[in-house]
Structure formats: C-alpha cells, structure tokens
Amino acid sequence: MLRTQVGIVGAGPAGLVLSQLLAREGIESIVLEARDRAYVEGRVRAGVLEHGTADLLEAIGAGQRMRAQGLVHRGIELRFGGQSHRIDFAELVGKSITVYGQQEVIKDLIAVRLQQGGAIHFDTEAYAVDGLDTARPVVRYRKADGSGGELACDFVAGCDGFHGTCRNAVPPNQLAFFERTFPFSWFGILAETPPASQELIYTNHERGFALISMRSPSVSRLYLQCAVDEDPGAWPDQRYWEELAARLAGYDAPEVKPGRVLARGVTGMRAFVVAPMRYERLFLAGDAAHIVPPTGAKGMNLAVADVLVLSRALVAFYTSRRLDLLDAYSDTCLRRVWKAQRFSSWMTSMLHRFDAHTPFERRLQLAELDYVTSSRAASQALAENYVGLPLD
Ligand code: FAS
Ligand code: PHB
C-alpha cells in the first residue's frame, strides 16, 4: 500500500500545480495519472495564461520556458461587421496575457516535479475512492499492466477532469449540478502556418464564430464554430481554410496562409458546475468540478486558481491544524468559478451565431459588440476579466 499526505488524482494543470505548491511547503503528495507521460504532454488544449497564472507558474519554479517562449499579448481584437476593434489590456487594466500551449505547461510541471523528486505514477488509473469520511481515505487504482494497488492518504484532491472518477465518489444527493449546453461546438486545428495577426482575433460573422490564436511565430491555433456533432474528418483542409477566410473577410482582413494541419478536433461548448467542491476528505479542483465554454480562455486558469486555494488550506491544516480554510475551500473557489462562468457565457453569447436568434436578437448582439468596443468602461470590464480577476 502506498502512503502519502495528499493523494492527487490526475496529472493535468490542477494536479501538477497542486503537487508543486504542496512540495514547496514540505507537504508530501503522490499523483496518480491514468495515461502515460507522452499522452498527457501531447494533449493539445488551452493556450492562454492569465496574468496571475503566468506569475504563479514562475513563482513555483515552472515558468522559465514559458517566460522565454510564451507570447506576451497586451490585447485582443474583436472583429464584427468586417472590421477589427482592439481591446488594449495594457492601457485599460495595466496587465497582459501569455499565449503558451497547455501541453507546454504540462511538460514544464512534470519536469520540475520529477527533478525535485516528486511522485507521479503514470499509467495508473484510480477506479475508486473509499473512506472519505475517515481520517485515512484510500484511492484504489489499477495499472496498465493489470496490477492494482491502494494509496492511503490524509486528503484526496480530485484533479481528474470532467470524465474522472473522483466526483463519482461523492454520494449524488450531496451534490448540486448546474449545466448549460450551447447549440454549437468548436472545430479547432493546430497548423504549421505563421499567425495571421499579432494578437488573438475573436470574430462574430454571419457564417459563424472564428478565432485566430497561435502557439509560436510559426504555429497557428484556429477555431471555427461548427455544428454540435461536426465530424472533423469530413472536412478537407481546403474547406477549413476557405471557411476561415470567409469569416474573416472585410476591411483590413487578416490573411491566413494555409499550412500543414498538425492536429484537429471538435470540442463541445458547455458550462458545468458541481457544488460543493468538497465532500469530507475529498476536494474537487479544475474540470472535475467545473467546465467553462473556452471563449473566455478560463478553463486551465480556473484549475490553477482552485488549487492555489486548496494548497493554502492544506498548508494551514498541516502547520497549525486549522480547519477553517479547508471548510471555506468550496465557497472560496465557487465565487471565482461563477464569475468566470458569467464572463465565459457572456463572451460566448456575444460572439457566436445562434440559429434560434430572431433578427431583433441578432441586432442586440451586434449592439453589444459595438458598445464593448466603443465604451472605455465596457472595454475595461472585458479586459479585467480576460487577463484574470485577482487570485486573492
Ligand atoms: P485535465 O482534464 O486537464 O486533467 C485531468 C487529468 O486526470 C488527465 O491527465 C486525465 O488523464 C487524468 N485522469 C482522468 N481520470 C483519471 C483517473 N480515473 N485516474 C487517474 N487519472 C485520471 N481551456 C481553455 O482555457 N482554452 C481552450 O482552448 C481549451 N480547449 C480545450 C479542448 C479540449 C478538447 C478539452 C477537453 C478541454 C479544453 N480546455 C480549454 C479546458 C482545459 O484546458 C481544462 O480546463 C484543463 O485541462 C483543466 O485542467 P484539469 O482540471 O487539471 O483537468
Ligand atoms: C487557444 O489558443 O487555444 C485559445 C485561445 C483563446 C480562447 C480559447 C482557446 O478563448
């Protein structure tokens, strides 16, 4: 039987940042990760680090490559009516974002954890969590080679994402579920072509939403609004490039040069929250507790914010046997989660085409965009949410 102070299920941003935060305070943890290292380091997902997330990664010793290779952006563009409008974060709120792929963040976190002797058990899938109402909960796991085992700990951090196991260990009558599904998805590609713009461009077009993002000066990350059940394999590359160009058309249109498609996938657009984020000795963090539509670039950043709160609560427990921060964990996280849900739903509603929209609602949407890009107060509100609300 393995033993540690904090058992962490999942080696995504939540689990790895938590493990590193605890280690810096001398608190032991063991991370159980269902997939192998190459898989988790290769998963193409988020791309935008909030100001506070970038600072935190640097503060915990996992920010060196991010600072060297990440792209610091001082604004974004909103494009509608065939025209782009810049939201100047630096001027409006004095902060910036860093564009740096989640898979790179994962590589940096795994590297620093292993360098420092951290315990990450890959190919180790948790299938049950028992004894949560005791002082020694146990995580039961099976390894890819068919062997199994148990991890005894003081606390379990459920950082295993939306499809993980930990949330299911909570009696359903103890949880409230809040969900919203949008009637479209995002068809994302990673392509070997220089970004068509210096900064991210979010586009509202009659044909649908489009987003220009990037991973490096030679790799673009692009998204198109598509049908909920769009088949990414049904689109020849040429069709993707033509559709993207059509949605970006207009004045001073950014020119996306077709390139080799390195990855493609369709992601549903949904919002989900479970409350509370704690049950006895189990603390849910990140996608295990909430999903946001990616329009606000909040998913990974929320995961990091959750575990910062959890790490402080666990440090208070181990250093002073305090329970108050553990008891406040869920409420503290959910306040920020719901503000991120608000912002993400607002960005999604403002930027996408809704078949069900009446002409009146369509005009309202364009008026919202016009207001946000012409009012300093409205631009400032977008900017302060996008760069990240204060972590404290
Ligand atoms: P994660 O899902 O990242 O990590 C959970 C980990 O737990 C995984 O490694 C998984 O293998 C492991 N696990 C699961 N079950 C387990 C078990 N039973 N035992 C052991 N390990 C287990 N966010 C954005 O901000 N922008 C985006 O563009 C964006 N795009 C996304 C695209 C896709 C396809 C997906 C799925 C998500 C996207 N997200 C995006 C959100 C994403 O970045 C998440 O918010 C972020 O990964 C959350 O981090 P974690 O909570 O650590 O969960
Ligand atoms: C990305 O670069 O993957 C990205 C950027 C902004 C978003 C979502 C995804 O809102």
PDB file of all heavy atoms in Angstrom, residues 148-172:
ATOM      1  N   GLY A 148      -2.761  -3.859  -9.504  1.00  0.00           N
ATOM      2  CA  GLY A 148      -3.595  -2.865  -8.815  1.00  0.00           C
ATOM      3  C   GLY A 148      -2.944  -2.475  -7.514  1.00  0.00           C
ATOM      4  O   GLY A 148      -1.890  -3.003  -7.145  1.00  0.00           O
ATOM      5  N   GLY A 149      -3.531  -1.540  -6.839  1.00  0.00           N
ATOM      6  CA  GLY A 149      -2.964  -1.130  -5.554  1.00  0.00           C
ATOM      7  C   GLY A 149      -3.850  -0.116  -4.862  1.00  0.00           C
ATOM      8  O   GLY A 149      -4.915   0.256  -5.382  1.00  0.00           O
ATOM      9  N   GLU A 150      -3.343   0.356  -3.739  1.00  0.00           N
ATOM     10  CA  GLU A 150      -4.111   1.328  -2.955  1.00  0.00           C
ATOM     11  C   GLU A 150      -3.183   2.445  -2.485  1.00  0.00           C
ATOM     12  O   GLU A 150      -2.006   2.214  -2.193  1.00  0.00           O
ATOM     13  CB  GLU A 150      -4.707   0.636  -1.719  1.00  0.00           C
ATOM     14  CG  GLU A 150      -5.752  -0.400  -2.033  1.00  0.00           C
ATOM     15  CD  GLU A 150      -6.255  -1.109  -0.769  1.00  0.00           C
ATOM     16  OE1 GLU A 150      -5.597  -0.968   0.288  1.00  0.00           O
ATOM     17  OE2 GLU A 150      -7.302  -1.788  -0.844  1.00  0.00           O
ATOM     18  N   LEU A 151      -3.722   3.641  -2.433  1.00  0.00           N
ATOM     19  CA  LEU A 151      -2.969   4.799  -1.935  1.00  0.00           C
ATOM     20  C   LEU A 151      -3.717   5.336  -0.724  1.00  0.00           C
ATOM     21  O   LEU A 151      -4.866   5.794  -0.844  1.00  0.00           O
ATOM     22  CB  LEU A 151      -2.867   5.886  -3.010  1.00  0.00           C
ATOM     23  CG  LEU A 151      -2.366   7.268  -2.570  1.00  0.00           C
ATOM     24  CD1 LEU A 151      -0.943   7.186  -2.012  1.00  0.00           C
ATOM     25  CD2 LEU A 151      -2.418   8.252  -3.733  1.00  0.00           C
ATOM     26  N   ALA A 152      -3.099   5.233   0.452  1.00  0.00           N
ATOM     27  CA  ALA A 152      -3.711   5.768   1.675  1.00  0.00           C
ATOM     28  C   ALA A 152      -3.189   7.184   1.890  1.00  0.00           C
ATOM     29  O   ALA A 152      -2.003   7.462   1.680  1.00  0.00           O
ATOM     30  CB  ALA A 152      -3.347   4.885   2.866  1.00  0.00           C
ATOM     31  N   CYS A 153      -4.081   8.082   2.283  1.00  0.00           N
ATOM     32  CA  CYS A 153      -3.645   9.484   2.433  1.00  0.00           C
ATOM     33  C   CYS A 153      -4.529  10.174   3.463  1.00  0.00           C
ATOM     34  O   CYS A 153      -5.506   9.605   3.943  1.00  0.00           O
ATOM     35  CB  CYS A 153      -3.726  10.198   1.081  1.00  0.00           C
ATOM     36  SG  CYS A 153      -5.226   9.860   0.154  1.00  0.00           S
ATOM     37  N   ASP A 154      -4.161  11.431   3.782  1.00  0.00           N
ATOM     38  CA  ASP A 154      -4.997  12.211   4.707  1.00  0.00           C
ATOM     39  C   ASP A 154      -6.150  12.871   3.943  1.00  0.00           C
ATOM     40  O   ASP A 154      -7.265  13.017   4.448  1.00  0.00           O
ATOM     41  CB  ASP A 154      -4.157  13.323   5.359  1.00  0.00           C
ATOM     42  CG  ASP A 154      -2.967  12.777   6.133  1.00  0.00           C
ATOM     43  OD1 ASP A 154      -3.066  11.625   6.636  1.00  0.00           O
ATOM     44  OD2 ASP A 154      -1.931  13.468   6.195  1.00  0.00           O
ATOM     45  N   PHE A 155      -5.815  13.341   2.722  1.00  0.00           N
ATOM     46  CA  PHE A 155      -6.788  14.048   1.892  1.00  0.00           C
ATOM     47  C   PHE A 155      -6.639  13.579   0.451  1.00  0.00           C
ATOM     48  O   PHE A 155      -5.537  13.209   0.021  1.00  0.00           O
ATOM     49  CB  PHE A 155      -6.542  15.566   1.941  1.00  0.00           C
ATOM     50  CG  PHE A 155      -6.656  16.164   3.314  1.00  0.00           C
ATOM     51  CD1 PHE A 155      -5.519  16.418   4.070  1.00  0.00           C
ATOM     52  CD2 PHE A 155      -7.899  16.453   3.863  1.00  0.00           C
ATOM     53  CE1 PHE A 155      -5.612  16.945   5.347  1.00  0.00           C
ATOM     54  CE2 PHE A 155      -8.019  16.999   5.138  1.00  0.00           C
ATOM     55  CZ  PHE A 155      -6.861  17.244   5.889  1.00  0.00           C
ATOM     56  N   VAL A 156      -7.738  13.629  -0.292  1.00  0.00           N
ATOM     57  CA  VAL A 156      -7.711  13.297  -1.722  1.00  0.00           C
ATOM     58  C   VAL A 156      -8.065  14.554  -2.519  1.00  0.00           C
ATOM     59  O   VAL A 156      -9.085  15.213  -2.238  1.00  0.00           O
ATOM     60  CB  VAL A 156      -8.723  12.175  -2.067  1.00  0.00           C
ATOM     61  CG1 VAL A 156      -8.677  11.860  -3.573  1.00  0.00           C
ATOM     62  CG2 VAL A 156      -8.418  10.923  -1.253  1.00  0.00           C
ATOM     63  N   ALA A 157      -7.217  14.894  -3.494  1.00  0.00           N
ATOM     64  CA  ALA A 157      -7.511  16.004  -4.412  1.00  0.00           C
ATOM     65  C   ALA A 157      -7.983  15.393  -5.725  1.00  0.00           C
ATOM     66  O   ALA A 157      -7.226  14.708  -6.414  1.00  0.00           O
ATOM     67  CB  ALA A 157      -6.265  16.854  -4.632  1.00  0.00           C
ATOM     68  N   GLY A 158      -9.264  15.615  -6.029  1.00  0.00           N
ATOM     69  CA  GLY A 158      -9.840  15.105  -7.278  1.00  0.00           C
ATOM     70  C   GLY A 158      -9.555  16.073  -8.404  1.00  0.00           C
ATOM     71  O   GLY A 158     -10.286  17.017  -8.631  1.00  0.00           O
ATOM     72  N   CYS A 159      -8.419  15.826  -9.064  1.00  0.00           N
ATOM     73  CA  CYS A 159      -7.979  16.709 -10.180  1.00  0.00           C
ATOM     74  C   CYS A 159      -8.051  15.930 -11.494  1.00  0.00           C
ATOM     75  O   CYS A 159      -7.211  16.110 -12.390  1.00  0.00           O
ATOM     76  CB  CYS A 159      -6.548  17.182  -9.924  1.00  0.00           C
ATOM     77  SG  CYS A 159      -6.337  18.072  -8.383  1.00  0.00           S
ATOM     78  N   ASP A 160      -9.049  15.048 -11.580  1.00  0.00           N
ATOM     79  CA  ASP A 160      -9.087  14.087 -12.700  1.00  0.00           C
ATOM     80  C   ASP A 160     -10.021  14.501 -13.832  1.00  0.00           C
ATOM     81  O   ASP A 160     -10.473  13.660 -14.606  1.00  0.00           O
ATOM     82  CB  ASP A 160      -9.421  12.683 -12.191  1.00  0.00           C
ATOM     83  CG  ASP A 160     -10.625  12.655 -11.231  1.00  0.00           C
ATOM     84  OD1 ASP A 160     -11.095  13.725 -10.804  1.00  0.00           O
ATOM     85  OD2 ASP A 160     -11.092  11.550 -10.921  1.00  0.00           O
ATOM     86  N   GLY A 161     -10.323  15.774 -13.902  1.00  0.00           N
ATOM     87  CA  GLY A 161     -11.033  16.263 -15.085  1.00  0.00           C
ATOM     88  C   GLY A 161     -12.506  15.883 -15.105  1.00  0.00           C
ATOM     89  O   GLY A 161     -13.028  15.213 -14.210  1.00  0.00           O
ATOM     90  N   PHE A 162     -13.178  16.303 -16.185  1.00  0.00           N
ATOM     91  CA  PHE A 162     -14.625  16.141 -16.265  1.00  0.00           C
ATOM     92  C   PHE A 162     -15.037  14.667 -16.300  1.00  0.00           C
ATOM     93  O   PHE A 162     -16.086  14.283 -15.765  1.00  0.00           O
ATOM     94  CB  PHE A 162     -15.135  16.861 -17.519  1.00  0.00           C
ATOM     95  CG  PHE A 162     -16.626  16.824 -17.676  1.00  0.00           C
ATOM     96  CD1 PHE A 162     -17.455  17.560 -16.838  1.00  0.00           C
ATOM     97  CD2 PHE A 162     -17.222  16.009 -18.642  1.00  0.00           C
ATOM     98  CE1 PHE A 162     -18.835  17.523 -16.964  1.00  0.00           C
ATOM     99  CE2 PHE A 162     -18.596  15.959 -18.774  1.00  0.00           C
ATOM    100  CZ  PHE A 162     -19.405  16.716 -17.933  1.00  0.00           C
ATOM    101  N   HIS A 163     -14.209  13.853 -16.936  1.00  0.00           N
ATOM    102  CA  HIS A 163     -14.574  12.435 -17.079  1.00  0.00           C
ATOM    103  C   HIS A 163     -13.898  11.560 -16.037  1.00  0.00           C
ATOM    104  O   HIS A 163     -13.814  10.339 -16.200  1.00  0.00           O
ATOM    105  CB  HIS A 163     -14.172  11.962 -18.484  1.00  0.00           C
ATOM    106  CG  HIS A 163     -14.842  12.760 -19.579  1.00  0.00           C
ATOM    107  ND1 HIS A 163     -16.187  12.681 -19.851  1.00  0.00           N
ATOM    108  CD2 HIS A 163     -14.349  13.690 -20.439  1.00  0.00           C
ATOM    109  CE1 HIS A 163     -16.503  13.500 -20.855  1.00  0.00           C
ATOM    110  NE2 HIS A 163     -15.408  14.125 -21.228  1.00  0.00           N
ATOM    111  N   GLY A 164     -13.416  12.180 -14.977  1.00  0.00           N
ATOM    112  CA  GLY A 164     -12.669  11.409 -13.986  1.00  0.00           C
ATOM    113  C   GLY A 164     -13.556  10.611 -13.054  1.00  0.00           C
ATOM    114  O   GLY A 164     -14.781  10.537 -13.218  1.00  0.00           O
ATOM    115  N   THR A 165     -12.934  10.059 -12.033  1.00  0.00           N
ATOM    116  CA  THR A 165     -13.597   9.142 -11.100  1.00  0.00           C
ATOM    117  C   THR A 165     -14.013   9.820  -9.805  1.00  0.00           C
ATOM    118  O   THR A 165     -15.017   9.470  -9.193  1.00  0.00           O
ATOM    119  CB  THR A 165     -12.594   8.010 -10.768  1.00  0.00           C
ATOM    120  OG1 THR A 165     -12.496   7.174 -11.927  1.00  0.00           O
ATOM    121  CG2 THR A 165     -13.006   7.187  -9.572  1.00  0.00           C
ATOM    122  N   CYS A 166     -13.230  10.813  -9.375  1.00  0.00           N
ATOM    123  CA  CYS A 166     -13.419  11.328  -8.009  1.00  0.00           C
ATOM    124  C   CYS A 166     -14.802  11.913  -7.761  1.00  0.00           C
ATOM    125  O   CYS A 166     -15.409  11.669  -6.713  1.00  0.00           O
ATOM    126  CB  CYS A 166     -12.327  12.348  -7.700  1.00  0.00           C
ATOM    127  SG  CYS A 166     -10.701  11.580  -7.523  1.00  0.00           S
ATOM    128  N   ARG A 167     -15.319  12.652  -8.721  1.00  0.00           N
ATOM    129  CA  ARG A 167     -16.627  13.287  -8.498  1.00  0.00           C
ATOM    130  C   ARG A 167     -17.686  12.225  -8.232  1.00  0.00           C
ATOM    131  O   ARG A 167     -18.612  12.393  -7.443  1.00  0.00           O
ATOM    132  CB  ARG A 167     -17.008  14.156  -9.700  1.00  0.00           C
ATOM    133  CG  ARG A 167     -18.203  15.058  -9.476  1.00  0.00           C
ATOM    134  CD  ARG A 167     -18.490  15.976 -10.649  1.00  0.00           C
ATOM    135  NE  ARG A 167     -18.821  15.263 -11.862  1.00  0.00           N
ATOM    136  CZ  ARG A 167     -18.093  15.311 -12.979  1.00  0.00           C
ATOM    137  NH1 ARG A 167     -16.944  15.981 -12.975  1.00  0.00           N
ATOM    138  NH2 ARG A 167     -18.464  14.660 -14.067  1.00  0.00           N
ATOM    139  N   ASN A 168     -17.494  11.059  -8.869  1.00  0.00           N
ATOM    140  CA  ASN A 168     -18.477   9.972  -8.706  1.00  0.00           C
ATOM    141  C   ASN A 168     -18.373   9.287  -7.340  1.00  0.00           C
ATOM    142  O   ASN A 168     -19.223   8.466  -6.998  1.00  0.00           O
ATOM    143  CB  ASN A 168     -18.295   8.939  -9.819  1.00  0.00           C
ATOM    144  CG  ASN A 168     -18.466   9.569 -11.195  1.00  0.00           C
ATOM    145  OD1 ASN A 168     -19.227  10.530 -11.348  1.00  0.00           O
ATOM    146  ND2 ASN A 168     -17.738   9.069 -12.178  1.00  0.00           N
ATOM    147  N   ALA A 169     -17.305   9.626  -6.602  1.00  0.00           N
ATOM    148  CA  ALA A 169     -17.157   9.023  -5.262  1.00  0.00           C
ATOM    149  C   ALA A 169     -18.039   9.741  -4.242  1.00  0.00           C
ATOM    150  O   ALA A 169     -18.199   9.286  -3.115  1.00  0.00           O
ATOM    151  CB  ALA A 169     -15.701   9.107  -4.828  1.00  0.00           C
ATOM    152  N   VAL A 170     -18.611  10.860  -4.669  1.00  0.00           N
ATOM    153  CA  VAL A 170     -19.467  11.623  -3.750  1.00  0.00           C
ATOM    154  C   VAL A 170     -20.905  11.135  -3.899  1.00  0.00           C
ATOM    155  O   VAL A 170     -21.396  11.006  -5.025  1.00  0.00           O
ATOM    156  CB  VAL A 170     -19.397  13.131  -4.078  1.00  0.00           C
ATOM    157  CG1 VAL A 170     -20.261  13.923  -3.101  1.00  0.00           C
ATOM    158  CG2 VAL A 170     -17.955  13.624  -4.055  1.00  0.00           C
ATOM    159  N   PRO A 171     -21.583  10.857  -2.795  1.00  0.00           N
ATOM    160  CA  PRO A 171     -22.991  10.443  -2.914  1.00  0.00           C
ATOM    161  C   PRO A 171     -23.774  11.503  -3.694  1.00  0.00           C
ATOM    162  O   PRO A 171     -23.705  12.695  -3.359  1.00  0.00           O
ATOM    163  CB  PRO A 171     -23.461  10.372  -1.449  1.00  0.00           C
ATOM    164  CG  PRO A 171     -22.207  10.169  -0.653  1.00  0.00           C
ATOM    165  CD  PRO A 171     -21.127  10.908  -1.379  1.00  0.00           C
ATOM    166  N   PRO A 172     -24.470  11.119  -4.757  1.00  0.00           N
ATOM    167  CA  PRO A 172     -25.124  12.109  -5.619  1.00  0.00           C
ATOM    168  C   PRO A 172     -26.020  13.084  -4.869  1.00  0.00           C
ATOM    169  O   PRO A 172     -26.135  14.250  -5.241  1.00  0.00           O
ATOM    170  CB  PRO A 172     -25.934  11.243  -6.591  1.00  0.00           C
ATOM    171  CG  PRO A 172     -25.266   9.905  -6.572  1.00  0.00           C
ATOM    172  CD  PRO A 172     -24.669   9.755  -5.207  1.00  0.00           C
TER     173      PRO A 172
END
